[in-house]
Amino acid sequence: SVGWGKMVKLPLHHSMAKNPYSELPPSAFWKSGVAQENPNSIEGIYNKKFDIFPDAKIATAGSCFAQHISRHLMNNGYKVLDVEPPPPGLPETMHQKFGFSMYSARYGNIYTVRQLLQLAQEVAGKWTPQNYIWPKNAKFVDALRPAVEPEGLDSPEEVLQQRQFHIARVRKLFEELDVFIFTLGLTEMWIHKESGTVYPTAPGTIAGEFDDNLYEFKIAQFAEIIRDFNLFGKVLRENIRGGKPYKCILTVSPVPLTATASGKHVLVSTAYSKSTLRSVAGQLSMNQASVDYFPSYEIVMNPRMHSVAFSDNLRSVRPETVELVMSHFFDQHPILDQKHKSSHSKFNKNNMERLQCEEALMEAFSK
């Protein structure tokens, strides 16, 4: 009505007029896509950008959560490269302790994109790490992968020899891969002031001694992470692969920070780190045809999960949640048939939570 009792009759087609949202699928709306959706089978949460063919050689790297992805891919028939397999005779129960069978090479956890970039630059002979042989209980470790030799090695020379072998094997990996799956983990890092060498752990935790004259804490920001990733790709294509293209799938680890040196509350620091990395992954996947994003982070952090995605420490992702995450991946990249399945890939549910995660050791150094 308009005024006192005067009626205005609207055209019949008015209520049926289209708008930009009128024909969108249920996945476009919070009510139907999240609040009313089954969190165990989220329709439309991932639509692949490209296929992974049965003969594609896959390389995996990243933070702790990436170990789950490697394991599931191997178990479901994908050809995941392993250029540094365990030596014959080493029991399977000891593989992870010494950094074997976790990723496609024995580089341990690569938490930051800067670490990844420096690894590629080292492989290409464009950069040399500094101050990376650290003492540990009268022995020595490679500070760029401190957990792969838990007891340490007998001399600095032995650390150097092992690193030279490792870099040669990573070169082979980078040359051969067709698909690179990388899990973004952290924005916080410790670096050597003079050289800029980035470490996966703080000096004085697993090994080494902390000296604030030598080392400093840094939080990577959005623009520099984008720059580091693009520079990594350039080094890989131009200096290692001779221009041969490759595909990349990015994920973001849902595992929160164990501790922060930022001066902020750990919850605030975790939110900053994950939101920055998620934005990086989104930007890269939107702008580059060869980069896809798989939403493992969103599947785990879905409010419908009500924190049941995590163990009691609210940090370790439950085995059943990991299986849920990977089921969405395999909906788009189907499980390969048995003739393609790796004979050595045995997935053990009992090992799901036994990730080698240096960052988790931070709690041991709290007051």
Side-chain angles (χ1 to χ4, degrees):
S1 63
V2 179
W4 293 97
K6 185 176 180 180
M7 304 296 295
V8 175
K9 192 171 183 180
L10 295 174
L12 288 174
H13 68 272
H14 180 81
S15 60
M16 301 174 63
K18 290 186 178 180
N19 65 69
Y21 298 91
S22 60
E23 295 184 3
L24 294 180
S27 61
F29 300 92
W30 186 264
K31 182 178 180 180
S32 53
V34 180
Q36 296 176 345
E37 178 64 285
N38 178 1
N40 296 313
S41 181
I42 308 172
E43 188 71 27
I45 191 147
Y46 175 52
N47 294 299
K48 65 183 178 182
K49 183 181 284 189
F50 47 74
D51 292 320
I52 301 177
F53 298 109
D55 60 348
K57 297 175 182 177
I58 300 173
T60 61
S63 68
C64 306
F65 190 80
Q67 295 171 44
H68 291 310
I69 296 174
S70 296
R71 207 173 284 139
H72 274 271
L73 286 169
M74 287 190 294
N75 189 60
N76 287 294
Y78 283 91
K79 190 173 183 178
V80 179
L81 295 171
D82 186 355
V83 298
E84 289 185 275
L90 183 69
E92 189 174 345
T93 54
M94 299 291 285
H95 288 186
Q96 191 179 59
K97 180 179 179 181
F98 289 92
F100 295 108
S101 307
M102 292 166 52
Y103 300 112
S104 292
R106 199 173 170 226
Y107 31 59
N109 296 309
I110 300 177
Y111 293 107
T112 62
V113 176
R114 182 66 57 83
Q115 278 182 266
L116 179 65
L117 168 60
Q118 290 186 349
L119 178 63
Q121 290 174 324
E122 185 180 3
V123 168
K126 296 175 67 66
W127 177 83
T128 302
Q130 301 294 316
N131 202 325
Y132 71 91
I133 300 177
W134 288 355
K136 180 179 181 179
N137 300 328
K139 293 198 173 187
F140 303 89
V141 300
D142 181 347
L144 303 182
R145 47 186 194 137
V148 302
E149 289 290 344
E151 306 303 323
L153 298 173
D154 291 331
S155 68
E157 291 74 23
E158 193 173 352
V159 175
L160 177 60
Q161 289 171 0
Q162 282 210 11
R163 181 143 199 94
Q164 290 172 339
F165 174 80
H166 169 64
I167 292 302
R169 301 310 295 169
V170 176
R171 170 174 277 278
K172 177 179 174 62
L173 174 69
F174 283 165
E175 289 173 341
E176 292 186 356
L177 65 85
D178 298 308
V179 180
F180 182 52
I181 301 179
F182 184 70
T183 299
L184 299 154
L186 296 176
T187 55
E188 296 189 2
M189 53 190 171
W190 288 92
I191 69 174
H192 181 232
K193 288 181 180 181
E194 184 178 342
S195 67
T197 301
V198 173
Y199 308 105
T201 58
T205 52
I206 293 180
E209 297 178 356
F210 181 72
D211 182 344
D212 57 12
N213 293 313
L214 294 176
Y215 308 107
E216 65 181 349
F217 175 74
K218 178 177 175 59
I219 300 176
Q221 298 184 26
F222 177 87
E224 61 185 311
I225 301 172
I226 292 282
R227 182 202 61 126
D228 285 350
F229 184 86
N230 287 334
L231 187 52
F232 161 76
K234 182 178 180 181
V235 171
L236 206 58
R237 287 188 302 272
E238 297 181 5
N239 302 108
I240 299 173
R241 295 174 61 83
K244 186 171 69 170
Y246 67 97
K247 298 290 199 311
C248 181
I249 299 176
L250 294 176
T251 66
V252 174
S253 171
V255 178
L257 278 65
T258 299
T260 179
S262 66
K264 308 286 186 182
H265 191 284
V266 69
L267 193 58
V268 174
S269 294
T270 294
Y272 172 84
S273 181
K274 302 304 178 180
S275 58
T276 300
L277 295 173
R278 176 60 185 90
S279 297
V280 164
Q283 183 87 12
L284 292 168
S285 63
M286 282 192 291
N287 293 340
Q288 300 184 28
S290 62
V291 178
D292 195 7
Y293 172 71
F294 173 62
S296 56
Y297 179 81
E298 288 84 347
I299 295 169
V300 174
M301 300 303 291
N302 184 348
R304 286 280 286 157
M305 299 293 284
H306 302 296
S307 297
V308 299
F310 294 95
S311 298
D312 291 342
N313 63 6
L314 297 181
R315 212 177 161 274
S316 303
V317 180
R318 292 184 185 276
E320 54 269 29
T321 307
V322 175
E323 293 198 42
L324 167 63
V325 167
M326 294 308 298
S327 72
H328 286 86
F329 182 89
F330 293 124
D331 280 345
Q332 289 290 301
H333 298 286
I335 295 171
L336 302 178
D337 60 39
Q338 293 299 310
K339 68 182 179 181
H340 295 296
K341 192 169 183 177
S342 302
S343 60
H344 64 275
S345 59
K346 297 179 180 178
F347 175 63
N348 185 349
K349 275 189 181 181
N350 295 327
N351 289 332
M352 281 289 293
E353 288 189 353
R354 295 182 208 159
L355 301 184
Q356 188 190 79
C357 193
E358 299 97 335
E359 198 222 354
L361 297 175
M362 296 289 191
E363 287 178 344
F365 297 92
S366 66
K367 291 180 182 179

